[in-house]
Amino acid sequence: MMLNLDFSFLNWDVVSGFVLKGLVFSVQLTLIAMVGGIVLGTLLALMRLSGKKWLVMPAAFYVNTLRSIPLVMVILWFFLLIPLLIGRPMGAELSAIITFTVFEAAYYSEIMRAGIQSVPKGQVYAGYAVGMTYSQSMQLIVLPQAFRNMLPVLMTQTIILFQDTSLVYAIGAYDLLKGFEVAGKNFNRPVETYLVAAVVYFVICFSLSMLVRRLQKKIAIIR
């Protein structure tokens, strides 16, 4: 049995009316979760490298716990449980933003921890020699180098983050995949819309991967 595929309904009106709204939210969710995840992840990495048990243990528990749980379960937990705790609904979009920021921080934390450890300790001691405190050495010497060293890996994780945004479909948030799904239902062409959605995700992620490769080569040249 052959499928009778028809993509003629996918014109600009359909794209602008159904898909663009979802694409905008997917990009917003990716950028907000990336920035928030890197900031929180860096803090967690510093806690784990502090050598103080009262900082190391909670940070390690946070990272290891979230890295051991499927993302879709965390999405559902935040969406269903937080409204019970605060006594009012939070909305699928806001719930998704908080969930992804909290979840991705665990992954960005490990990336930043590796980046910090890649910076020779002698540079920290050099900072001490010119009168810098530990905090100043981290801010002015270690973290800038760690961020540069790990930038390709951070960007790769962000591409994975963009792919994972499709999981907000589970709580009804209007992301890129949801936009294609709604268009497919309206025109009774679900197969075509899901095929096009797969192509769009591939084109976006593959293009970003090529940019990461170019960035990686430039960083290698700088080194």
Side-chain angles (χ1 to χ4, degrees), residues 157-184:
Q157 181 61 34
T158 302
I159 295 172
I160 297 171
L161 165 59
F162 175 76
Q163 295 172 342
D164 287 344
T165 59
S166 61
L167 294 175
V168 299
Y169 174 94
I171 57 174
Y174 201 102
D175 70 315
L176 178 58
L177 183 60
K178 184 70 172 181
F180 277 109
E181 186 214 7
V182 173

Side-chain angles (χ1 to χ4, degrees), residues 20-81:
L20 278 184
K21 177 184 175 182
L23 176 60
V24 168
F25 177 70
S26 290
V27 172
Q28 287 177 339
L29 176 58
T30 301
L31 294 177
I32 293 172
M34 177 190 71
V35 174
I38 289 175
V39 172
L40 180 56
T42 301
L43 177 61
L44 289 167
L46 291 173
M47 289 172 65
R48 295 193 71 180
L49 293 171
S50 66
K52 300 175 181 178
K53 282 190 176 182
W54 62 277
L55 290 175
V56 174
M57 292 182 68
F61 176 80
Y62 179 102
V63 172
N64 293 330
T65 300
L66 285 181
R67 283 168 58 90
S68 302
I69 301 174
L71 174 56
V72 69
M73 289 182 63
V74 181
I75 292 172
L76 290 171
W77 285 350
F78 271 78
F79 182 68
L80 297 173
L81 295 180

Side-chain angles (χ1 to χ4, degrees), residues 194-209:
Y194 281 126
L195 284 173
V196 174
V199 171
V200 170
Y201 273 101
F202 172 79
V203 169
I204 292 174
C205 294
F206 183 77
S207 301
L208 292 174
S209 296

Side-chain angles (χ1 to χ4, degrees), residues 13 17 30 32 52 59 69 72 90 103 119 122 124 131 133 150 153 157 162 168 190 193 204 213 221:
D13 291 333
T30 301
I32 293 172
K52 300 175 181 178
I69 301 174
V72 69
M90 188 166 53
F103 186 84
V119 178
V124 178
T133 63
M150 293 293 105
V153 186
Q157 181 61 34
F162 175 76
V168 299
T193 51
I204 292 174
R213 286 187 182 182
I221 291 172

Side-chain angles (χ1 to χ4, degrees), residues 9 14 18 174 179-190 193:
F9 71 96
V14 172
F18 297 99
Y174 201 102
F180 277 109
E181 186 214 7
V182 173
K185 286 183 177 179
N186 275 268
F187 292 91
N188 196 28
R189 288 290 177 179
T193 51

